[in-house]
């Protein structure tokens, strides 16, 4: 308990940073579930592809794990470029999964079990395909940002990586919320989420909306992948498994199908993990996060917010 009290500022900042990454990935789960009532298990492996996309981008500029850290201006430019590449790569693979795996099932009115099995199969295809392509090796990430704190106030301090992660996550989440709530495409997403058949009668192209949802989820995963790369300093073909489970847990914690709930769930899960590991030890980090999820769902099965995407405010 003393470790929690004494290290509360550091634990809070690191928890918020990790929670922001969970939240970005959770948005993809909650978007797809809100529209299709489908748990897209392949989403975690779409995220994994994004982590490699960022490394390949930096590698194209001659940077690897042993390279000297670039100047701050160069680093920021390379990070932005990596975000663009990783987001586009994740968006492409997310749409590819929808077109090749899920759309044929919808056309044949397949039962929910078929979608579940296909989602798990697509996840293994992506992860094992990347494992074969990379010979199952672990890849280091070049150091991009200084590790020394640049903002210090009392016991609170922020490093450039923490600032950039939180800033990028907030911008992405606020932009997505605005897009869904305020744009014509967002109204189409909410219409299909509420009643796909009625939306189709009103001229909404269901398949186009679903493809857009997968694209947006992939873009969010790509942003998270770059931030995760820099935080973890390495990646490999199965990096999406545990973080994907946690992001899905975050989406359920906040209320699956609710964008703001996914963001809230991710932040809370990151904080709970950090606080719990300080009290009980780092070996219990993952245990505590999922235990809190189970306890919460026992008393509030719909999650903290529990509002579906289709019923969100206009």
């Amino acid at each position: 308990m003393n470790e929690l009290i004494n290290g509360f500022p550091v634990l809070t900042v690191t928890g918020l940073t990790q929670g922001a990454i969970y939240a970005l990935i959770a948005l993809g789960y909650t978007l797809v579930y809100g529209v299709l009532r489908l748990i897209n298990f392949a989403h975690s492996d779409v995220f994994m592809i994004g982590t490699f996309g960022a490394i390949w981008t930096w590698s194209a500029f001659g940077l690897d794990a042993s390279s000297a850290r670039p100047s701050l201006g160069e680093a920021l430019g390379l990070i932005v470029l990596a975000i663009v590449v990783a987001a586009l790569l994740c968006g492409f693979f997310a749409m590819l999964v929808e077109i090749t795996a899920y759309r044929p099932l919808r056309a044949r009115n397949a039962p929910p079990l078929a979608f579940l099995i296909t989602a798990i199969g697509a996840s293994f295809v992506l992860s094992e395909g990347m494992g074969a392509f990379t010979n199952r090796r672990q890849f280091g990430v070049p150091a991009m940002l200084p590790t020394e704190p640049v903002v210090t106030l009392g016991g609170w301090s922020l490093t450039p990586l923490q600032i950039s992660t939180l800033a990028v996550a907030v911008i992405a989440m606020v932009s997505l919320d605005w897009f869904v709530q305020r744009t014509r495409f967002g109204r189409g997403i909410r219409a299909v989420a509420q009643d796909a058949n009625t939306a189709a009668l009103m001229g909404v192209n269901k398949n186009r909306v679903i493809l857009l949802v997968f694209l947006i989820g992939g873009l969010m995963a790509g942003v998270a992948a770059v931030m995760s790369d820099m935080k973890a300093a390495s990646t490999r073909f199965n990096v999406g498994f545990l973080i994907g489970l946690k992001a899905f847990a975050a989406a359920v914690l906040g209320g699956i199908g609710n964008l703001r709930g996914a963001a809230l769930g991710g932040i809370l899960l990151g904080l709970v993990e950090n606080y719990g590991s300080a009290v009980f030890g780092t070996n219990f980090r993952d245990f505590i996060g999922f235990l809190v999820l189970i306890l919460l769902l026992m008393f509030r099965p719909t999650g903290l917010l529990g509002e579906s995407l289709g019923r969100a405010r206009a």
Side-chain angles (χ1 to χ4, degrees):
M1 185 61 72
N2 287 335
E3 186 176 346
L4 173 60
I5 296 172
N6 296 332
F8 183 79
V10 174
L11 292 169
T12 300
V13 172
T14 54
L16 288 172
T17 304
Q18 186 62 50
I21 296 173
Y22 291 155
L24 286 171
I25 304 171
L27 290 171
Y29 284 110
T30 210
L31 270 170
V32 172
Y33 183 86
V35 172
L36 287 178
R37 295 298 184 268
L38 165 69
I39 301 172
N40 178 26
F41 286 112
H43 185 62
S44 61
D45 298 288
V46 168
F47 159 83
M48 174 272 297
I49 291 172
T51 65
F52 280 97
I55 289 178
W56 293 335
T57 301
W58 293 326
S59 175
F61 288 86
L63 296 175
D64 57 28
S66 60
S67 300
R69 189 173 62 233
S71 66
L72 183 59
E74 291 175 344
L76 292 177
L78 289 168
I79 290 170
V80 171
L81 179 61
I83 289 175
V84 172
V85 172
L88 292 176
L89 191 62
C90 288
F92 170 78
F93 275 94
M95 291 191 297
L96 186 64
V97 169
E98 143 61 11
I99 293 171
T100 60
Y102 300 136
R103 185 172 295 185
L105 294 179
R106 291 200 312 275
R108 292 169 174 79
N109 292 319
L113 183 60
F115 282 92
L116 178 62
I117 294 173
T118 300
I120 295 173
S123 174
F124 276 100
V125 166
L126 292 178
S127 63
E128 292 300 317
M130 184 61 78
F133 182 74
T134 61
N135 293 320
R136 298 177 175 266
R137 291 189 295 123
Q138 181 166 303
F139 291 79
V141 176
M144 302 299 293
L145 294 172
T147 57
E148 301 79 14
V150 293
V151 177
T152 302
L153 182 62
W156 299 81
S157 61
L158 288 168
T159 66
L161 175 58
Q162 292 167 337
I163 294 172
S164 60
T165 299
L166 293 172
V168 169
V170 169
I171 292 171
M173 289 186 283
V174 170
S175 299
L176 177 58
D177 188 74
W178 174 84
F179 179 83
V180 171
Q181 298 293 335
R182 301 298 178 188
T183 67
R184 180 168 62 89
F185 295 108
R187 287 194 295 271
I189 291 173
R190 288 184 286 124
V192 173
Q194 188 167 4
D195 190 326
N197 293 328
T198 302
L201 291 174
M202 297 176 66
V204 177
N205 188 315
K206 178 182 175 180
N207 283 332
R208 189 175 299 170
V209 167
I210 292 172
L211 192 63
L212 175 62
V213 164
F214 274 84
L215 171 62
I216 294 173
L219 295 177
M220 295 295 110
V223 175
V226 178
M227 300 297 109
S228 179
D229 264 351
M230 293 191 294
K231 185 176 185 298
S234 66
T235 190
R236 67 193 309 261
F237 74 98
N238 60 356
V239 72
F241 177 73
L242 183 58
I243 196 170
L245 280 179
K246 290 183 178 182
F248 175 66
V252 175
L253 180 65
I256 189 74
N258 185 310
L259 293 179
R260 296 172 187 177
L264 176 62
I267 297 297
L268 288 179
L269 184 59
L271 290 172
V272 167
E273 280 187 349
N274 261 24
Y275 295 153
S277 62
V279 176
F280 300 104
T282 55
N283 289 338
F284 289 88
R285 179 185 181 90
D286 299 333
F287 168 81
I288 292 167
F290 287 106
L291 178 62
V292 169
L293 172 66
I294 293 171
L295 293 175
L296 174 69
L297 294 180
M298 288 173 61
F299 297 98
R300 190 170 176 81
T302 58
L304 291 172
L305 301 186
E307 182 182 336
S308 70
L309 185 65
R311 299 179 187 276
R313 293 189 299 273

